């Protein structure tokens, strides 16, 4: 067998751990209902239960963008910086 046909095993790097945490955090925040199942503190008249979830929509978007950019950078580094 040639070396070119061998598949490299996945590598766990600090960047990939950060990517995983960015993608995992919104799930934990939304599945832990006990942490936000309340009405106070209200924000501009909106109960906590609702504005907390809407805030996580924005936070999740930002975390997903960060994870995507880190993944792109990681893939470019693994390929040796070829292409942008």
């Amino acid at each position: 067998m040639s070396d070119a046909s061998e598949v490299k095993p996945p590598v766990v790097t600090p960047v990939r751990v950060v990517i995983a945490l960015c993608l995992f955090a919104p799930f934990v925040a939304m599945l832990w209902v006990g942490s936000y199942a309340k009405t106070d503190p209200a924000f501009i008249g909106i109960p906590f239960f609702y504005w907390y979830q809407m805030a996580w929509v924005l936070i999740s978007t930002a975390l997903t963008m960060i994870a995507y950019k880190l993944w792109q950078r990681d893939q470019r580094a693994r390929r040796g910086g070829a292409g942008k």
Side-chain angles (χ1 to χ4, degrees):
M1 285 212 273
S2 69
D3 289 77
S5 66
E6 289 184 30
V7 177
K8 294 180 182 177
V11 178
V12 177
T13 63
V15 172
R16 290 183 179 191
V17 171
V18 170
I19 291 169
L21 290 174
C22 284
L23 296 174
F24 188 65
F27 289 105
V28 172
M30 289 293 93
L31 291 176
W32 186 19
V33 179
S35 70
Y36 63 92
K38 52 190 171 186
T39 57
D40 290 325
F43 177 69
I44 59 170
I46 302 170
F48 181 76
F49 180 80
Y50 294 112
W51 69 257
Y52 178 83
Q53 291 179 56
M54 290 299 108
W56 270 102
V57 170
L58 299 174
I59 294 167
S60 298
T61 302
L63 289 173
T64 303
M65 275 184 1
I66 291 167
Y68 178 69
K69 293 296 183 184
L70 287 172
W71 181 256
Q72 282 183 323
R73 190 176 78 175
D74 184 60
Q75 292 304 300
R76 276 195 305 268
R78 285 184 64 117
R79 286 192 299 261
K84 286 201 173 194

